[in-house]
Structure formats: C-alpha cells, structure tokens
Amino acid sequence: MIKPSVSHPPHHRRRVAIAGGGLAGLRAAEELRRQGFDGSIRMLTAEAVAPYDRPQLSKSLLVGTTSVEKAIYRDAEYYKKLSIDLLLEHRIDGLDLHGHCLKTNNGSVDFDHLIICTGAAPRRLGSLVNLAGVHELRTLADGVAIRDALANAPRVVVVGAGFIGSEVAASARELGLEVTIVEASPAPLARALGDDMGIACAGLHADHGTRLLKGVSIASIEGSGRVERVRLTDGTAIDCDLLVVGIGVVPTVDWLAGSGLPLDNGVVCDATLSTPATGVYAAGDVASWPNELFGQRMRGEQWTNAVEQGRHVARNLLANAGEQLPFHGSNYFWSDQYGVRIQFAGITAADEIRIVEGAVAERRFLAWYRRGDRLVGALAMNEARSLMLSKTLIERRASWGEGMAAFEKATTS
C-alpha cells in the first residue's frame, strides 16, 4: 500500500497521535524522535500514570523487590525533554477517520498520522467477580492491589495456568502462601508452547508445592462480602482469601467499532503494520498482521513484540512512499517462575518437537519445533544462550539440517 512521505511535510501536516500509553506507544514515540521527526507527538492513555514495565507486575512488584516508582519507565522530565505530550486520564471512546481525530472523555485530539497501541484487556469471569478479594492483573493499579492483598491472604487461588497466572502463583509461593491454580485446559500453556511442552513446564508448580488442578473451572465464588471459597465444576470447594483471575486477554478495539477500520482479533494490518486507512498504523498487542517469517497472520502479546513493532511502525510512518518494510517478528517471550527462566521463540505448529539439549526432568533443556524441513520454534528452560542461538536460526529461516549443524558447531567450539 502506497503512503505519502512524511519525511518533510508542511508543518500543519505533522501531528502524530499515539493511542495508548503502553510500551509499544512509548517506543514508537522515542523512535520518531530518534529518526529526526520534529513535529508534534501526543500519547493518550486512560491511566493516571506514565508507561510502565508490565512484566514486573506479576513478579518483582508482588514480592516487594520492585517499587511502583521503579516500575515506571520514564519521569515527566523525560517526556518534556523529547517534546512528547503525554495525556494521562484520556480514555479514547472513538475514532473519526474522516475528521482525523480521536474522541476522548476530555475532548477531541486531532492528528495527521495515528499509531494505535491500545493493547489488550483481561478476559472476565462475568458476574462471578462481584466480591471483594477477587482481582485481575493488567494495570499497575491491579498489581498494587494484589500486592497489598497478598499480605493478608494465606490461601490464594489463581484461575488460569498461563504465564501470568503461573507467575502470580510463583510469587505467592515465594511469599510462603498456600496456592492452588485452577486450569480449564487439560494441558496448561498449550496455546503458547504446545501440549507436551506446556505440561512439562507446568511441572514447575508441583516442584514448588503449588497445587495445580487441570480440566476444571470455577462454577461459583462464595463468600459474605468478600471471597471465602470457590466451587469448581467438579463440585470441589476450595477455601481462599484471595482469588486472582488470569484467563487471557482480548485486544482493546471496542472504541474502534464503526470507525471503518477492519477488526478481527485486533486491528487488521498489512505486513508493514499499516491499516487500510492512510497514515494509520497499529503496534503491540492490538495489531494483527501477516507475518511473512512464518507465513501466517499473527497477533503478539509479548514485551519484545511491543518494543519491536513500536519502533518499526515509527520508521514506516516516516518512510518515503512505497518504502515501508514488512515486520518479521520471531514471537520471542520469556517467563520467570520459581527462579527458573522459560524462553520461547517461533511458533508451535510443528510436525515434531525434539529435545536437543538437556532434559525436561532436570528443568534445564532446549526443545526444537520442526515443521517440514524447517526449524520454526524453540523452547528453553534455564538455557538462555542456546535459546538465543535458536532464535537467530529461526529468524534466518534455517532448515532443520542447517540449524542442527550450526547448533552443533556453536555448542562444541
């Protein structure tokens, strides 16, 4: 799709609005300035705080090794220095593409170019969350509320054994609390890692005294004024003082209904992360794009994806007509649980998964995912160096044989 150049536009055509105050938006704003863009940049967020580091919310913030202040990326002086107008408590309610403006609870914000980075929101348990002591984790305020609640909650139940739920459970165990995880799927982490590897990583919970119940879900939450117990679909009742819900997220696109932008599990973009509307891009959790690296449409919810897409969109926005580049993300992410680092790169759609280094039982291994004759994924537990080598091979589109030869050479030299 051909876009007009914005390298040297007239002054009145140089207003960039960034919808969303997360990591993708911050990196986009920084990259615009790094590339020499000197027009106006306005970043809008519904929250009352500047962009912050979400990975800390389920780990160091909960156990008290990180403060709220340290979790926030940059102070007000930083935004002033870069001439980034950070508009806090600006909830975006709609988009007028024809009028080139965002509609917010604090009035309209005009733009010439728009980067959509509104991220994702937690899936809800519906009417089951109307008691005190029931929490979800997405925002800094959520993290603070859970941290404070853990101080008086000896019995914790976590709904969902995904990475967020698992990290919250690990943090609670580090604090010496009794923890039960309730997971509806028979194979935890299956969507992110595949069935077998998901079950292997979930073994960490048993290693550290966390009770993991699979194949069941919450039927009801009981208590007088606050949660006291949960009843499962198999009839089991579990007493608890704190219930944390971590059952995934959905892209935040409700505000785009009726805007004319195509929506399908996020904002539908082309390979360059551009939408069909000229000058409008998306990045981070909210962007759905055809990833040519794997030949499939994807939407990434990872820290690295937000960083890379935010910067990529900024460069494409400033590129000359016809020179926007496709984004090839390798879907890299990590999770820290019980002092163990789990890392993954690539995709799980594979014909074979093979342990190429270490052993699952030792909680130190590297697994490769093969599709056809190509290396398409790698999972590591406490094998950071090997994982990063694997990530490079995946990004190079190495064949299985090429990958094996390169890995053998690197690990024996």
Side-chain angles (χ1 to χ4, degrees):
M1 182 177 297
I2 304 299
K3 298 290 188 298
S5 170
V6 294
S7 297
H8 302 286
H11 181 73
H12 69 283
R13 297 291 294 171
R14 306 184 69 210
R15 302 167 299 175
V16 175
I18 299 175
L23 181 60
L26 174 59
R27 293 296 183 255
E30 292 173 332
E31 187 65 18
L32 287 171
R33 292 297 187 226
R34 187 177 293 112
Q35 295 294 328
F37 177 73
D38 60 0
S40 72
I41 300 175
R42 284 177 287 183
M43 184 187 305
L44 295 79
T45 175
E47 296 192 57
V49 294
Y52 50 84
D53 190 19
R54 291 189 189 278
Q56 295 190 42
L57 303 186
S58 55
K59 299 186 279 287
S60 55
L61 182 71
L62 296 190
V63 298
T65 57
T66 291
S67 65
V68 168
E69 292 73 22
K70 289 182 179 179
I72 297 174
Y73 284 120
R74 306 285 188 259
D75 59 18
E77 188 61 29
Y78 178 83
Y79 294 96
K80 182 178 179 180
K81 181 179 180 181
L82 288 186
S83 297
I84 298 171
D85 191 5
L86 180 61
L87 304 179
L88 303 177
E89 298 181 289
H90 275 62
R91 184 192 67 247
I92 306 174
D93 297 322
L95 168 63
D96 180 356
L97 283 174
H98 180 74
H100 293 274
C101 74
L102 293 168
K103 301 173 183 177
T104 84
N105 60 313
N106 284 311
S108 296
V109 174
D110 298 329
F111 63 83
D112 301 306
H113 301 276
L114 173 65
I115 302 175
I116 299 172
C117 306
T118 43
R123 295 183 185 276
R124 299 286 171 82
L125 281 178
S127 60
L128 299 179
V129 297
N130 295 325
L131 289 174
V134 180
H135 295 265
E136 60 191 20
L137 179 57
R138 183 64 181 177
T139 68
L140 182 58
D142 294 335
V144 170
I146 295 173
R147 179 199 65 188
D148 294 347
L150 287 171
N152 297 293
R155 300 167 302 181
V156 179
V157 172
V158 177
V159 186
F163 286 113
I164 294 298
S166 294
E167 289 169 3
V168 170
S171 296
R173 284 297 297 146
E174 184 175 341
L175 294 170
L177 307 178
E178 177 185 313
V179 182
T180 300
I181 302 176
V182 178
E183 168 57 49
S185 169
L189 299 171
R191 184 175 70 89
L193 305 177
D195 289 353
D196 293 342
M197 291 296 98
I199 292 172
C201 290
L204 284 171
H205 296 305
D207 293 348
H208 294 85
T210 299
R211 182 187 183 195
L212 173 59
L213 304 178
K214 298 176 289 186
V216 291
S217 55
I218 302 291
S220 62
I221 302 174
E222 302 171 358
S224 178
R226 64 172 298 110
V227 62
E228 297 175 6
R229 71 190 61 81
V230 295
R231 195 167 298 278
L232 308 185
T233 49
D234 64 0
T236 301
I238 305 173
D239 293 334
C240 70
D241 307 292
L242 174 66
L243 176 65
V244 181
V245 180
I247 54 175
V249 297
V250 292
T252 304
V253 295
D254 291 352
W255 64 279
L256 290 168
S259 68
L261 289 182
L263 306 175
D264 185 8
N265 186 32
V267 178
V268 177
C269 304
D270 64 18
T272 71
L273 301 178
S274 173
T275 75
T278 300
V280 179
Y281 299 80
D285 295 9
V286 77
S288 169
W289 90 106
N291 189 345
E292 297 173 358
L293 180 60
F294 301 112
Q296 65 185 55
R297 181 167 287 276
M298 300 179 68
R299 186 177 64 80
E301 299 171 359
Q302 303 84 23
W303 188 94
T304 302
N305 183 71
V307 169
E308 294 177 346
Q309 286 194 346
R311 291 170 176 165
H312 192 89
V313 159
R315 292 191 291 268
N316 274 349
L317 186 152
L318 297 174
N320 291 321
E323 294 181 355
Q324 291 85 3
L325 299 175
F327 177 74
H328 300 144
S330 60
N331 193 40
Y332 168 72
F333 59 88
W334 76 91
S335 176
D336 294 316
Q337 303 171 29
Y338 308 104
V340 172
R341 171 149 290 197
I342 300 170
Q343 295 168 283
F344 183 85
I347 58 174
T348 61
D351 301 316
E352 176 190 4
I353 301 176
R354 184 186 304 180
I355 304 297
V356 297
E357 185 176 29
V360 171
E362 298 172 1
R363 305 305 188 221
R364 181 180 291 274
F365 68 89
L366 173 70
W368 275 10
Y369 296 63
R370 177 186 61 81
R371 186 173 67 183
D373 188 42
R374 186 176 159 194
L375 171 64
V376 295
L379 167 68
M381 184 178 287
N382 282 336
E383 288 288 359
R385 179 175 177 272
S386 296
L387 189 284
M388 297 316 291
L389 170 61
S390 305
K391 177 176 178 290
T392 299
L393 292 170
I394 292 168
E395 291 169 347
R396 282 170 34 192
R397 309 181 192 223
S399 70
W400 186 259
E402 290 169 344
M404 282 293 184
F407 183 76
E408 182 178 353
K409 180 179 179 180
T411 54
T412 57
S413 58

